[in-house]
Amino acid sequence: MTPRNPTQVRVLATRARVAVVVLVGVLVAVLFRFQVLRSSDWLLESQSNRLRPLNVPAPRGVIRDRVGRVFAENVPGYSVSVIHDQPDSMISTLHRLREHLELDDGRLEDLAIRARTGPPRPLLVTVDAPFDVVAALQERRSVFPRLLIETRPKRLYPAGRVGAHVIGYVGEINEAEVEAREAEGAEPGWIVGRSGVEARYESTLQGKPGMRYVEVDAAGRIVGSFEGVPGVTAEPGTDLQLNLDLELMEWIDRIFPEGMNGSVVALDVETGGVLALYSAPAFDPNVFAGIVDRSEWERLVQDPQSPLYHRAVMGKYPPGSPWKLATAAIALDLGVVTPSERMPVSCGGSYVFGNRAYRCWKPEGHGSLDLAGAIQHSCNVYFYQLGLEIGLARLLEVGNRMGFGEQCGIDLPTEAHGNFPEGPEFWERRFGYRAQEGEALNIAIGQGPNDQTPLKMAQFILAIARDGSAPAPTVLRSAGNGANEASWSLDIPQEHLEQVREGMRRVTRQGGTAYLSSLEHFDLLGKTGTAQSGGGRPSHAWFTAIAGLHGQAPEIVVVALVEFGESGSGVAAPLAAKTADFHLRGVHGIPRDTIQTLGEYLRAGRNTAWARQPDP
Amino acid sequence: MRTLAAPLWQQPMVITLLLLSVFGVGMIYSAGVLEVPSTVTEGLWIRQAVFLGASVVGLLVVSRIPLRWFEWVAVPAYVLGVAVLAVTLVAGTGAGTAEGISSFLSIGGFRFQPAEAAKISTALALAALLARREGPPLYLRDLLTPAALVGLPLGLVLLQPDLGTALAFLGIFFAVIFWAGTPWPLILFAASPGLGLILAFSLRVWAAYIVLLAIGLYLYRFRLYLVESIAVILGNIAAGAIAQPLWNSLAEYQRNRLLVFLDPELDPRNAGWQLIQSKVAVGSGGVFGKGFTAGTQKRLAFLPEQHTDFIFSVVGEEFGFIGTSVVLVLFGYLFFRMITMAEAAKRSFAGLFIFGILGVWLTHVFINAGMTIGVVPVTGIPLPFISYGGSFLLMSWMAAAVVLALANDDS
C-alpha cells in the first residue's frame, strides 16, 4: 500500500491527459488533412476506382430514297461482350457461351486470339444476339458474371435485296481500320460501311460515339450504370437522302426476267441523278447487318451467279448496236455528216472494204438511209461508212473524250471503267499489228475491243437526251438538288441531236424493232442491241431508252441489260419501257398499271388505237 | 462497504461505451451492405448486438465485485491466463480475419481469444505487483520484475504470432509503470532497445542514436547504477545486432506491411492495397461522408476487412470527418474519464489497473485509427467496441466492468 502524494498524482494525471490529447490530436489533425483539405483528390480516386468509361455506339444515319422511303435504318440490337480478364478465363467464358450463342470454330479462334493479345477492353462476341439468347444469358448472370450485354443500334434494310448493291451493307470494323480511324474514336465492334452508299458515305453516316460510366467492384465486375458523372451522348450519324426511287427499284425487281442476270440503270435527265440502279441476282444485305456468318458469306461468294457482283457499275459488256448512237454523235460533233446526208453506198446487205465484205444484219439490205433511218433500222452498212468517214483516229479520240475508257464518276466506292482503245496504237500494243482503217468499221457498230458498263451507256444516252453533255450520275441527292456539272460535252447543234432522237423515236414506232414496247402515255425513244457475248453463248440483250411526255422534253433515261438475253427488242426493251412507264406515271399522276407496253395491251386485248398513229 | 457514486447507467464511462458499442453495431450492419458477394454476411451485426447484450449483463455482475476479490484473484488469474496462452500456442486455431494466426481457443463450440482475457489478468497482476511497492520505481532494476511479468504473456502472444496484441501488452506495461510514478527518463531508457531496433535500419542513424543515448545516460548518471547504464547500452547494441536477423525472420507479408507503410505504391496490388484503399475510403468521405451504408469503397469491396480491422475506414467514408472526429473525441473523453477515475481512486491498485486498461485501449485506438490513414504500419488490431468480434467486445466490456468495480470501491 503506497500512500501517494496528491501533488504527484495530479502531475501524473495531467501528463497522462496531455499524452491522450497529443495522440488523439495527431489522429484528428491527419484526418483533417485527409478528409477536409485533400478530400477532393481522394474523392476523384474513389471514382476512378469504381467508374469505368464505356463507349456508347452512335446510331448510323438513316438512308432514304428521294421521297423519304427508308433504304437503311436502325433497330435496337443486343451485343454481348466478355469483360476483360485473364485470357484463360475469358476463353473459358467463350466456350461456355457456345451453349447459348452460335459461335463457329473460326470465330471462336479469332476471339481467343483477341482475348490473348487485344487491349484491355470488353471483348465483343456478337453485335446481334437474338432476344431469347439475351434473356437466357441475363438469367444466368451468376454463371456469366463477367458478361456485358448492351443494346446497340443494328442495321436493318427494310427493302431487303432491292437496293442491296447500291446501298451496300455494313460489317464489323477490322483491326487495321480501328488503328487508321483512332482519331474518330474507332474501337472494335464499330459497324462500318462495307460497300455501296454505306461505304461511300461512311464518315457521314458513322456519327460520333458517346461515353457512359459504369460502376465496377474491386474485382472489375460491372455492378451497374452510373448516372452521377455525366457521360457523353452519342451523336447519331447524318441521314442521307438519295436520288434513288425505292418504289421504282422494287418495280424493276418485280419485272426483271425471272432467273436472268443483268441490270437496269435509270437516270433523271434534268439532274443526272440515279433513279434506279438495279443488279440481278441480288442478295439480302440484312445478313451482313451483324457479324457475317462465315458460311453465309462463303455461300454468297461461291454462288456461280455472283450475287454480290454489282453488274450495273462493275459489269462490262460489248455495247453492240446502242453504240451506233455514239458513232452518230461523234460524226455530228466533228461535222462529218449532216443528218439528212446519205451514205455513198446504199445498203444491199453488206459493205465491201478492202478485200472483205462487212455484212449488215439484214441480208436483203436497207437501201439508202438518212441518219435517223439508219438509227431506226440499225443499219450496219450506213455506220460502216460513217465510221470510215470519221476515221479510226478521230473516232477513238472523241470516244475517249466522251469517257468510254473511263469511269463515270458515280458516287459509289467501286466502278469499273470501260474498255476502249486509247488510240490506233492500241492494236499494236495489244495484238501486235498496226491498226487498219477497217477497225473503224467494227468500232462504229459497237464491236471490236469495246466493253462498257450499263451505267456508262446510261450516261452516254443521258447526253443524247440532254444537250450533248452529260454530268456524272449521282446517287446522293445533293443539297441544292441542282444538276451536276457536265463531265463532258459534245458540240452538236440541237437540230442534229433531235435527228438522232428522231431515229430512236422511230425504233418504237410502227415498223421499228421495239414497236411492241411503245407506251400509251409517253414517248419512248430507244435503241435495241443484241451484242455478241462470245464463246458461243447467247447474245446479251440491250435496250437504251429515253422517255418523256409526248412531244415534250425527255425526263428519264433507262438502260436495261440482260445477260445472254438474246433479244434486245424482246427481253430488254419491255424491261426498260416498263421501268420508264412506271416512273413517268408516278411523276405525272397517271394511275399505274401492270399492262404498260403495246405488246401487253395486245395480249390483254385492250384498245391499242393510240399505237397506230402514222409517222408524222 | 460499497456505495456507488451513481447508478451504473448514469456514469459517463458507461454511457460513452454504450454510445461507441451501439455505433459499432450500426457500422457492422453497414459493413454488410455490399453490392458484391462477400465473406461478410449481412447478419453479423445481429451477432454483435447479442454479444453487446451479454456484455451489459456481464457489466452489471462484474462491476459489483469488491476490489479485494480482484486483489486476491490477480495472481491466480495471471497464472491461469499465461497457462491458457501456452495451451493456445499448441491447440489454437485461426478464425475469421485472423485466419493466419493461432489466437483462438475453442471450448465446447465457443471460440474465444485467450489473449483478451490475459490482458485483464496481466493488468491485474501488474497493478498488484506495483501497488505493493513502498515508492515509485526509481531504478531500472525496479522494472525488471514488472517487465518479466508482462514479458511472459507478451512473448507467448508474439509466438502466435500476433504483433498487434503484443503491442497492447506493451501498452499495459508502460501505462502502469507511468502511473506508478516511474521517472520519465527511466521509462525512455526502458523503451530504448525497442527504439534501437527500429532505428537499426540505417547504421548512421543508429550510431547517432547510440551516442545520444550515451549522453542521456551520462546526464542521468546520478540516478542510475553504472551496471544499469551499461545494460541499457548493451540492450540497444543487442537490439541493433538482432535487427537484421529479426527482419529476415519475419514473414513476407509482415515485411511488406512495413515496407508499404513507407511507400504504399511499392506494391499497390497486394500489401499496399489495403492501405491505399483505406486512405481512399477515408479521404473520399470528406467532411460529411457519403452517408450511412453508402460508402462506395466498402460497397464495391475495394476496402478489405471492412467490418473488423478497417471499420474505422468505413466510418470515415460514410460519416466523413465529422464521424471520425466524434468517434475519436468519444475515445478521448473515455480516456479522460479513466484518468480522473484513477486520480480519484483511494487505492493505488485501482489506479494502476485503470491505467493498464487505458494503455491497452489507447494502443488499440491509436494503432487502429492510425493505420487506416497511414500514420502507423498496418497491424492486425481491432478498434475496441466498434470492430466486429464477439469475444473481443465482451472482454473489452469486462475490462471496463473491472475498471468500474475498482473505481467505485471506495473502501
Side-chain angles (χ1 to χ4, degrees):
Chain A
M1 226 56 73
T2 29
R4 309 207 34 192
N5 175 351
T7 320
Q8 196 200 3
V9 167
R10 212 166 33 249
V11 168
L12 284 178
T14 307
R15 280 185 193 165
R17 286 194 183 97
V18 169
V20 166
V21 167
V22 166
L23 288 179
V24 170
V26 164
L27 290 177
V28 171
V30 175
L31 283 166
F32 184 79
R33 185 162 158 271
F34 263 83
Q35 299 189 288
V36 182
L37 302 181
R38 296 278 174 82
S39 172
S40 51
D41 294 353
W42 293 113
L43 193 64
L44 213 63
E45 282 229 20
S46 86
Q47 289 186 344
S48 70
N49 245 349
R50 71 197 174 99
L51 299 181
R52 294 278 179 282
L54 276 189
N55 275 6
V56 180
R60 283 178 82 77
V62 173
I63 303 175
R64 295 192 177 87
D65 83 343
R66 58 193 300 118
V67 296
R69 287 178 289 247
V70 173
F71 269 116
E73 62 184 341
N74 305 297
V75 289
Y78 294 92
S79 72
V80 176
S81 316
V82 179
I83 292 162
H84 191 75
D85 196 1
Q86 297 296 322
D88 288 337
S89 69
M90 287 170 82
I91 290 164
S92 101
T93 305
L94 290 173
H95 279 280
R96 279 184 291 127
L97 267 177
R98 291 182 91 171
E99 290 171 30
H100 304 279
L101 271 174
E102 265 181 58
L103 276 180
D104 61 33
D105 291 339
R107 176 82 187 155
L108 194 71
E109 216 168 281
D110 287 350
L111 289 169
I113 290 167
R114 260 199 252 164
R116 277 186 225 284
T117 60
R121 285 191 276 224
L123 178 66
L124 194 74
V125 180
T126 173
V127 290
D128 186 21
F131 183 75
D132 57 324
V133 169
V134 170
L137 289 174
Q138 293 278 24
E139 251 173 52
R140 291 168 182 75
R141 265 199 109 98
S142 52
V143 187
F144 294 107
R146 299 180 66 88
L147 218 52
L148 175 64
I149 297 171
E150 293 174 290
T151 60
R152 62 166 69 200
K154 174 180 129 181
R155 210 57 162 161
L156 180 75
Y157 302 97
R161 66 193 185 128
V162 177
H165 296 95
V166 58
I167 302 302
Y169 52 87
V170 292
E172 195 188 343
I173 197 167
N174 63 38
E175 270 168 57
E177 290 166 324
V178 170
E179 266 173 49
R181 301 180 62 183
E182 215 177 345
E184 292 172 66
E187 60 166 15
W190 256 35
I191 297 303
V192 294
R194 282 273 167 256
S195 75
V197 170
E198 292 271 29
R200 173 63 179 75
Y201 293 106
E202 161 63 20
S203 53
T204 313
L205 289 165
Q206 182 59 248
K208 267 178 85 177
M211 193 198 29
R212 71 189 173 96
Y213 285 98
V214 289
E215 201 173 40
V216 297
D217 70 3
R221 282 180 291 244
I222 292 181
V223 176
S225 61
F226 183 74
E227 312 300 333
V229 175
V232 179
T233 336
E235 281 176 40
T238 310
D239 293 353
L240 294 184
Q241 191 176 23
L242 306 180
N243 285 315
L244 295 174
D245 184 334
L246 176 56
E247 244 181 12
L248 180 63
M249 290 180 68
E250 279 171 338
W251 176 248
I252 296 168
D253 184 59
R254 210 176 125 187
I255 61 174
F256 199 89
E258 185 74 33
M260 306 284 264
N261 299 344
S263 72
V264 177
V265 179
L267 303 178
D268 181 67
V269 171
E270 200 191 332
T271 63
V274 179
L275 294 169
L277 207 51
Y278 181 82
S279 179
F283 60 94
D284 186 352
N286 286 308
V287 304
F288 296 96
I291 290 166
V292 195
D293 190 29
R294 247 162 222 251
S295 58
E296 182 61 21
W297 171 260
E298 275 165 19
R299 194 186 65 69
L300 284 170
V301 168
Q302 287 166 2
D303 188 331
Q305 308 291 319
S306 312
L308 293 177
Y309 190 54
H310 192 180
R311 288 169 164 78
V313 299
M314 296 299 289
K316 291 193 275 197
Y317 308 90
S321 297
W323 214 80
K324 287 170 182 164
L325 297 171
T327 307
I330 292 167
L332 292 170
D333 173 69
L334 293 167
V336 170
V337 290
T338 57
S340 54
E341 236 177 281
R342 284 156 202 263
M343 287 296 122
V345 177
S346 71
C347 179
S350 69
Y351 179 75
V352 179
F353 180 75
N355 53 2
R356 201 187 134 187
Y358 290 81
R359 278 186 297 176
C360 188
W361 62 271
K362 195 176 178 189
E364 58 273 32
H366 292 104
S368 183
L369 296 166
D370 64 0
L371 181 63
I375 292 170
Q376 177 191 0
H377 297 293
S378 201
C379 177
N380 287 3
V381 170
Y382 178 95
F383 283 99
Y384 290 147
Q385 297 174 76
L386 193 58
L388 283 173
E389 283 192 27
I390 298 166
L392 182 61
R394 288 200 292 177
L395 189 59
L396 299 180
E397 187 204 319
V398 182
N400 276 305
R401 177 149 64 81
M402 290 159 77
F404 280 112
E406 292 165 15
Q407 299 160 322
C408 298
I410 191 174
D411 52 342
L412 286 176
T414 51
E415 184 198 349
H417 59 81
N419 293 336
F420 193 73
E422 69 278 8
E425 63 276 12
F426 169 84
W427 278 265
E428 208 168 344
R429 184 167 56 75
R430 181 72 184 275
F431 302 112
Y433 62 85
R434 286 184 71 91
Q436 306 292 310
E437 271 305 293
E439 305 298 345
L441 277 67
N442 279 328
I443 297 287
I445 61 161
Q447 290 181 6
N450 182 2
D451 293 304
Q452 300 300 329
T453 64
L455 180 70
K456 182 69 217 180
M457 288 308 286
Q459 190 206 20
F460 164 65
I461 299 298
L462 184 64
I464 302 288
R466 288 155 60 104
D467 55 356
S469 71
T474 48
V475 175
L476 185 71
R477 198 178 179 118
S478 47
N481 195 24
N484 291 307
E485 258 179 63
S487 51
W488 50 267
S489 67
L490 294 166
D491 182 22
I492 305 176
Q494 278 305 303
E495 63 270 26
H496 290 185
L497 211 51
E498 181 51 36
Q499 283 306 305
V500 175
R501 290 199 283 260
E502 180 54 32
M504 290 175 76
R505 193 172 284 120
R506 290 193 208 152
V507 168
T508 60
R509 290 273 165 79
Q510 207 157 5
T513 49
Y515 177 51
L516 287 176
S517 293
S518 60
L519 301 169
E520 179 181 359
H521 301 285
F522 310 104
D523 265 353
L524 184 71
L525 294 66
K527 183 74 199 78
T528 55
T530 303
Q532 291 158 15
S533 62
R537 303 181 66 182
S539 299
H540 297 313
W542 282 98
F543 194 77
T544 59
I546 301 168
L549 284 174
H550 289 304
Q552 294 194 20
E555 294 172 54
I556 183 172
V557 164
V558 181
V559 168
L561 173 103
V562 180
E563 288 178 9
F564 315 115
E566 286 197 78
S567 166
S569 56
V571 175
L575 180 59
K578 286 168 73 69
T579 301
D581 183 70
F582 184 89
H583 175 72
L584 292 170
R585 279 182 191 241
V587 171
H588 296 290
I590 301 166
R592 281 169 173 154
D593 197 347
T594 54
I595 308 296
Q596 295 167 293
T597 63
L598 177 61
E600 286 169 337
Y601 271 67
L602 290 170
R603 278 197 294 279
R606 290 202 191 169
N607 180 6
T608 56
W610 54 269
R612 282 190 295 276
Q613 287 163 7
D615 272 355
Chain B
M1 308 305 118
R2 294 175 51 80
T3 51
L4 281 175
L8 213 48
W9 44 268
Q10 282 182 7
Q11 294 199 21
M13 180 174 170
V14 177
I15 294 167
T16 308
L17 292 183
L18 273 176
L19 280 175
L20 286 171
S21 301
V22 170
F23 181 68
V25 172
M27 290 321 294
I28 290 159
Y29 168 79
S30 173
V33 181
L34 297 172
E35 300 221 352
V36 288
S38 160
T39 47
V40 185
T41 58
E42 284 174 26
L44 279 186
W45 68 277
I46 298 171
R47 217 178 105 90
Q48 183 83 349
V50 168
F51 268 95
L52 178 58
S55 301
V56 171
V57 173
L59 175 78
L60 293 173
V61 175
V62 174
S63 62
R64 283 163 204 281
I65 297 172
L67 183 142
R68 268 177 298 117
W69 290 29
F70 290 110
E71 270 182 326
W72 181 78
V73 87
V75 173
Y78 171 79
V79 172
L80 183 68
V82 168
V84 174
L85 274 179
V87 170
T88 309
L89 271 186
V90 183
T93 56
T97 57
E99 199 63 63
I101 56 177
S102 314
S103 59
F104 279 82
L105 255 195
S106 185
I107 296 172
F110 183 74
R111 292 155 58 81
F112 69 103
Q113 286 179 289
E116 296 306 327
K119 284 175 191 166
I120 302 176
S121 60
T122 304
L124 282 173
L126 187 61
L129 179 71
L130 286 171
R132 269 198 286 277
R133 283 188 59 86
E134 291 290 326
L138 293 176
Y139 299 97
L140 276 177
R141 60 165 191 197
D142 297 337
L143 296 178
L144 279 180
T145 325
L149 188 116
V150 177
L152 185 57
L154 187 151
L156 289 171
V157 168
L158 260 186
L159 286 173
Q160 286 182 350
D162 184 350
L163 182 65
T165 307
L167 289 171
F169 277 96
L170 276 183
I172 299 175
F173 175 73
F174 284 106
V176 172
I177 63 168
F178 165 82
W179 190 245
T182 312
W184 62 266
L186 212 57
I187 295 176
L188 278 185
F189 290 137
S192 65
L195 199 57
L197 191 68
I198 295 164
L199 294 178
F201 73 92
S202 158
L203 190 62
R204 256 185 229 172
V205 173
W206 184 79
Y209 160 75
I210 290 292
V211 170
L212 281 175
L213 185 70
I215 294 169
L217 284 169
Y218 176 76
L219 294 175
Y220 202 68
R221 63 190 183 281
F222 304 115
R223 306 283 296 276
L224 280 180
Y225 292 104
L226 185 61
V227 185
E228 289 179 341
S229 302
I230 292 165
V232 167
I233 290 288
L234 285 179
N236 275 278
I237 289 170
I242 64 159
Q244 192 60 42
L246 191 68
W247 175 253
N248 292 338
S249 76
L250 285 178
E252 183 84 28
Y253 81 95
Q254 288 171 317
R255 263 183 278 172
N256 283 342
R257 275 180 173 183
L258 291 169
L259 286 176
V260 298
F261 167 65
L262 300 170
D263 181 12
E265 295 301 329
L266 210 62
D267 188 8
R269 280 280 133 195
N270 302 306
W273 173 265
Q274 287 183 321
L275 181 52
I276 293 170
Q277 297 305 337
S278 167
K279 282 181 174 179
V280 169
V282 174
S284 65
V287 177
F288 301 103
K290 298 177 186 171
F292 183 54
T293 73
T296 55
Q297 288 283 105
K298 173 217 75 184
R299 221 155 38 81
L300 301 167
F302 285 99
L303 195 61
E305 315 286 1
Q306 75 275 25
H307 62 309
T308 54
D309 291 355
F310 281 91
I311 199 148
F312 191 70
S313 311
V314 182
V315 176
E317 186 176 27
E318 299 190 346
F319 292 105
F321 180 67
I322 305 285
T324 51
S325 37
V326 164
V327 168
L328 289 177
V329 166
L330 276 177
F331 273 115
Y333 176 72
L334 171 71
F335 299 150
F336 267 52
R337 278 303 304 167
M338 290 170 78
I339 293 166
T340 307
M341 286 157 83
E343 211 177 359
K346 296 260 167 54
R347 317 254 307 230
S348 52
F349 171 70
L352 288 167
F353 176 79
I354 291 170
F355 259 75
I357 297 305
L358 175 63
V360 173
W361 289 348
L362 194 58
T363 308
H364 271 260
V365 170
F366 189 76
I367 291 179
N368 182 279
M371 76 182 180
T372 63
I373 44 179
V375 171
V376 293
V378 173
T379 313
I381 188 168
L383 190 61
F385 304 102
I386 295 181
S387 284
Y388 173 75
S391 71
F392 178 60
L393 181 71
L394 186 64
M395 281 305 145
S396 298
W397 272 97
M398 289 311 96
V402 179
V403 166
L404 286 163
L406 299 190
N408 293 333
D409 191 328
D410 43 7
S411 60

